Structures are given as structure tokens and as C-alpha cells.
Amino acid sequence: MLFFINVSQSLLNNYAETAFLKRFGVEYLPIMTAVNAIVTFVLLSGFGGKLSNIRSDRVVTGSLVVSAGLIGVMRFIVPFEISLIYPVLYILKTQFVVLMAFVFWNLANDLFSTRQSKRLFPLITTGGILGAILGSFATPLLISFTKADNLLLIIPVLIIFGAFCSVKLTKAFPGTLLQEEPATAEKSTMLDELRKVGPMIKSSTLAQVLLVLTLVPNIVIPIFNYQFNFVVDQTFATEKGMISFFSYFRGAQNTISLIISLFVGRIYGRFGLPVALMFHPANYLIAFAAYMFQFNIFSAVYADTSANVLRKTINAPATSALYGLLLPKDRAILRSFLRGTVVRVGILFGSGLLLVANEFIQPRFLSLFAIAFCTVWLGSTFLLKREYSAILISLVQKSLPEFYKMGQEFKVIFKKANLGQPLLGRFQKAVGEEAQYCAEMLQNTEEPEFLDNAILDKLHTADDKTRLLLLPYLSDQAGSKALDIFLTLRDPGKPELMVA
């Protein structure tokens, strides 16, 4: 399903952007960015709230069918040469991407448990990336056989295939999985959200960093996108040239993202999370500087490729991992506020700044504003690096975050953090799975001898369940001290413990 959705999204993006830039005008792009932010707010706040009361599979199927119908209708309006059709089409392609990301992953989360999603989500995501690559490279081939406007008839067919997959999913999974009682969420205003998150942001360095990491990128994105599209519009005089460029460019970009994603774990493992988060803002500074000195297609290709690849492969996963450092209750409140209200405020502010500044200065010099914001963004990652150990120590002393139950992310998150003593204190008091998680963290952050001594000391007082969980973490170098303790713990009446 995601494969067909992303193929259609790629075709629609390539066509809608080309048609808007060539038939309506790049100078209206700042207005469209602001309008899109408002429409997204209305769509996800108003419409999204009502969707929570409908079965997620029906939401996906219905959204796909309605989208296919709207896009198909556009094909029959285009010949009337109504210029406003192109801004509408531009908004439609953006909202299609936003809406499908929202409803598709809601369905996926309803269908699969946490354990299943660990195994299946990477596969599903890979299918989506392959769809995006195919859709991009297929665009020039399709327009060589038919008019570009006829893509508006091909795209709905692919979307309907996606809807068919949604129906098949409904039949393939037990009905009880999809027919859960809808949660009744209380409506909250922006003022209510501020009252909830205000104290958290004041008292938490991590929350402050996450605020900057969410707000600043969304302020500079309108400027970044405008400069890229302005250069492309100036470089390619014809619609066919532009749509071919978008197609090959985005296809190559997605291919690079797919390849780099295979090595992201090594990047995290080598540099750690705070340093990995520095790559994206540092690259933005380089990209905007490149626009300042060479405002041409070469700078545009470097800027857009590097920014999108780093965002998809390194920055987005690293930022998501940071949310895992928050306590579950705080994480739910803060993530909702940042990814909803703060994102929209950032885009609207950036669009407003672009609208005003664009009246007085040339597009290339918009980089000056962006560089100032990116400097703040990069500074927040240095602050995170400086406070990182303190944040993790505070976390370990309070509560183990839930992500320990979801994989091995802590190997990256705890890299280069001096957590031996805080973890040891937590380990000495822990029982059962909590003791196991502490042992696993110590195994990846301390020398084997340190963990061996901690486990051997704990075995005297631990219950049998905890002993069974901890014994596999002893290293081969535990030595005669381990044998002495084993002799005192042996009990023929406990076969599992004897085997361990």
C-alpha cells in the first residue's frame, strides 16, 4: 500500500510543482507556503479529531478514494485554463502527503504490536522509498508517451490500487484488531497546551533543546524551499525540462537516502547522538553560504540533496530518539505540542518573514536571515552535547524510559556518557526486568569487570527470577569469585537456576 501511495505522491509532486512554477509563478510561492501551513492546521486539528472516531482502515480507504477523485477531476478542469487551478493543485499535493502520512501510520500502529512493528516497519518504509524512487524515475518516461496533464489520470489509478491494498489488509487481519473503541480526547486550546508545557520547558534543558530543534528548522524551510525553486525556475525554461529535472533529481535523492540509511547505525555508534544532531544544522549553514556565493543550480542541487538526505537518514531518527529520554507522560504532552503548534508557528513565521524580506532584497540574500537562525539551531546542539551526561544521569536516577523495551537504542544514546555509578546505584536496587535493562546498559557502557562485580554482589540478595535474567551477562573473565558464589546458590530443587 505504501509503495502505491509513494509512487503516486512522486508523480503528483513532480507535476504539481512544475505546473505551479511555470503556469502560475514562483513569486507566489511564499504565499502558498503560508496557506499550506494554515490548511494543514485546519486539516489535522479539525478533520483529524473526527477521524479518531472512525476505524483506521476505513479512514485510509476513504482518504485514498476521495484523493483519487479530486485529482482526477483536476484533469478535466485544466483545459479551461483557469489559472487558480494550479495553486489549488499545489495545496492538494501537499495535503495529500500530510494526510496520507497521518492516516497510514495510524493504521500501521493499529495493526501491529510494538514487537511486530520493530520487524515490519523498516520493511514497510523500504517499500515506500522504492515507490518514491520508481515514481520519480517513471515521470519522464510517462510524459514521453503522453501529455504531462494526463498524469492527473494515471495518479488516481495508482491511488485506487493503494485503496485496494487497504481493503485487503482489513480482510487479512482479525476484525477485533481494527474495531477498538475510539478514545474520546478532550479538546484543548493553544493556551491550554502552553500551560501544560510551560513549566516543563522552563525546568528541562532537554525540552528547551527539543523546542529549538523543532522551531528553527521550520522557520528556515520556507526560505530554503523558495530559493531552491527560484533557481530551478530560472534554470529550466520549459515545463518538460523542469519536470524531467525534478524526476531524476528526486529519484537519485531517494536512492542516496536508501543507501545511506544502511550505514546510519555506524554513524551514531561512532559519534554519538549529540554530534549526529549537529550534522544537519551545520550542513544548512554550508548550503545557505553556497547560495550566497553561487546562486545557481549547482548550489541548489547540493543544498536540497544534502539537506533532505541528512534529514531523512540521520536527523529525524536522532530527534525521535531524543524524545525517548523524556518520561512517558512528559513525552506525550511535549511531542504533541512541538509537532503540532510549534511546527505550524515556525512555518507561518518563516513564510511571513519570507513575504516581507522578499519585497526588499534579492532571493540570494535571504540566506543571511537563514544563517542567523541556523546558528541558533547549531548552538542548541552544542548545548545538548555539553549537558548530555547530566541529562542522562538525571534520567537514570529517576525512571528507565520505555525505549529500553523496544530495542538497543541506548547503545547510541548512552555513548560517551559517564553513567557507571548512577547506573550501578539503580542496578543495586532493581529487580526483574529493570535489573536486566540496567545490566545491559552497563554491559555497553562499562568494562566487563565492572559489570561482573556488580552482578556477583547482587546475586546474594536477588530473587531467582532476577538471578536467571542476570547470569547470562557474566563474562568469561568472572573467575573463581563466580564459582564460589555458584556453589552457595546451587539447589537441585531449582533446575532452571542450576542450568543457568
Side-chain angles (χ1 to χ4, degrees):
M1 179 165 62
L2 187 60
F3 174 83
F4 285 117
I5 289 172
N6 281 9
V7 171
S8 59
Q9 282 181 355
S10 294
L11 293 172
L12 183 59
N13 275 340
N14 293 335
Y15 172 79
E17 288 195 22
T18 300
F20 177 82
L21 293 174
K22 287 302 180 188
R23 301 180 191 180
F24 199 74
V26 69
E27 63 272 15
Y28 295 101
L29 198 58
I31 298 174
M32 297 308 301
T33 303
V35 170
N36 261 323
I38 295 170
V39 173
T40 301
F41 172 80
V42 173
L43 183 71
L44 295 185
S45 299
F47 186 53
K50 294 181 175 62
L51 292 182
S52 62
N53 297 320
I54 307 173
R55 265 178 35 175
S56 53
D57 61 312
R58 292 176 179 172
V59 170
V60 171
T61 304
S63 300
L64 288 169
V65 171
V66 170
S67 299
L70 289 173
I71 294 167
V73 166
M74 293 292 177
R75 175 63 186 92
F76 300 100
I77 301 176
V78 166
F80 292 100
E81 297 184 356
I82 301 172
S83 60
L84 285 177
I85 191 68
Y86 302 110
V88 172
L89 191 59
Y90 188 87
I91 292 172
L92 180 60
K93 71 97 180 173
T94 304
Q95 299 312 314
F96 179 61
V97 173
V98 171
L99 180 61
M100 291 320 304
F102 177 68
V103 299
F104 175 84
W105 289 111
N106 273 357
L107 173 61
N109 287 321
D110 285 345
L111 287 174
F112 306 116
S113 66
T114 301
R115 183 180 296 274
Q116 290 172 322
S117 54
K118 279 173 57 183
R119 184 176 71 256
L120 295 176
F121 279 14
L123 181 63
I124 293 170
T125 303
T126 300
I129 293 174
L130 291 174
I133 293 170
L134 178 62
S136 294
F137 285 128
T139 307
L141 181 64
L142 291 172
I143 64 174
S144 67
F145 290 105
T146 184
K147 291 176 60 177
D149 292 339
N150 288 333
L151 291 176
L152 295 175
L153 296 177
I154 298 171
I155 293 166
V157 174
L158 293 167
I159 295 175
I160 292 300
F161 278 129
F164 177 75
C165 292
S166 176
V167 173
K168 294 291 287 184
L169 272 175
T170 305
K171 295 178 179 179
F173 284 84
T176 53
L177 187 64
L178 297 168
Q179 293 177 351
E180 298 175 354
E181 289 295 321
T184 54
E186 295 183 3
K187 291 185 177 179
S188 60
T189 64
M190 189 181 298
L191 190 60
D192 293 331
E193 287 185 328
L194 286 172
R195 288 197 189 103
K196 291 179 182 177
V197 302
M200 193 189 313
I201 292 173
K202 285 181 181 178
S203 61
S204 170
T205 303
L206 180 59
Q208 293 165 6
V209 170
L210 283 168
L211 175 64
V212 177
L213 292 180
T214 305
L215 178 63
V216 176
N218 285 287
I219 291 175
V220 300
I221 279 173
I223 298 174
F224 187 83
N225 289 341
Y226 176 71
Q227 288 182 314
F228 174 76
N229 283 292
F230 188 91
V231 170
V232 172
D233 183 62
Q234 296 296 308
T235 304
F236 298 96
T238 64
E239 282 189 22
K240 188 171 183 179
M242 181 181 287
I243 199 170
S244 295
F245 166 76
F246 278 139
S247 304
Y248 292 123
F249 175 66
R250 286 173 178 154
Q253 201 174 90
N254 283 311
T255 303
I256 294 169
S257 296
L258 181 62
I259 294 170
I260 291 181
S261 65
L262 302 175
F263 305 98
V264 169
R266 295 183 184 179
I267 295 173
Y268 288 155
R270 181 174 178 81
F271 298 104
L273 202 60
V275 176
L277 284 166
M278 294 178 185
F279 292 165
H280 200 35
N283 180 70
Y284 259 109
L285 287 170
I286 295 170
F288 283 118
Y291 275 131
M292 281 288 294
F293 294 105
Q294 292 289 330
F295 197 64
N296 56 29
I297 193 65
F298 299 106
S299 296
V301 166
Y302 166 77
D304 201 70
T305 300
S306 59
N308 278 297
V309 168
L310 286 174
R311 175 177 57 81
K312 292 176 184 176
T313 59
I314 296 178
N315 196 71
T319 304
S320 295
L322 273 188
Y323 282 100
L325 298 177
L326 295 166
L327 299 177
K329 183 182 72 170
D330 294 342
R331 181 168 65 247
I333 296 171
L334 188 64
R335 182 161 53 190
S336 174
F337 173 71
L338 294 181
R339 293 185 175 179
T341 302
V342 172
V343 166
R344 292 190 290 266
V345 168
I347 292 175
L348 285 171
F349 181 82
S351 301
L353 176 64
L354 177 59
L355 274 170
V356 174
N358 199 43
E359 294 294 322
F360 302 101
I361 61 176
Q362 296 177 13
R364 72 187 302 168
F365 295 116
L366 293 170
S367 293
L368 293 172
F369 294 99
I371 286 171
F373 285 110
C374 288
T375 302
V376 175
W377 180 6
L378 184 61
S380 71
T381 63
F382 278 99
L383 174 64
L384 175 65
K385 188 175 186 300
R386 190 184 71 187
E387 302 292 332
Y388 195 57
S389 290
I391 291 171
L392 293 180
I393 289 171
S394 173
L395 173 75
V396 169
Q397 290 172 340
K398 290 179 182 177
S399 173
L400 283 177
E402 291 179 343
F403 60 75
Y404 295 125
K405 301 179 182 180
M406 300 169 62
Q408 303 296 317
E409 288 88 347
F410 58 81
K411 291 182 181 179
V412 172
I413 292 174
F414 284 177
K415 185 174 178 64
K416 298 181 180 178
N418 185 17
L419 296 173
Q421 290 304 318
L423 271 175
L424 179 61
R426 184 65 184 265
F427 174 73
Q428 290 168 342
K429 300 175 184 177
V431 295
E433 286 189 345
E434 184 179 337
Q436 181 187 15
Y437 299 140
C438 289
E440 198 163 355
M441 285 184 280
L442 286 166
Q443 186 180 54
N444 287 280
T445 57
E446 298 296 329
E447 295 298 323
E449 184 181 354
F450 186 94
L451 178 59
D452 288 341
N453 291 333
I455 292 175
L456 293 174
D457 289 342
K458 189 172 182 64
L459 287 177
H460 287 292
T461 57
D463 57 67
D464 287 342
K465 179 183 176 182
T466 304
R467 288 167 178 165
L468 287 170
L469 292 172
L470 294 181
L471 283 169
Y473 291 94
L474 281 173
S475 72
D476 295 337
Q477 288 77 41
S480 59
K481 186 179 178 182
L483 294 177
D484 293 338
I485 293 175
F486 290 172
L487 288 172
T488 63
L489 294 178
R490 62 180 177 176
D491 184 349
K494 299 177 180 178
E496 287 187 22
L497 183 62
M498 293 294 289
V499 171

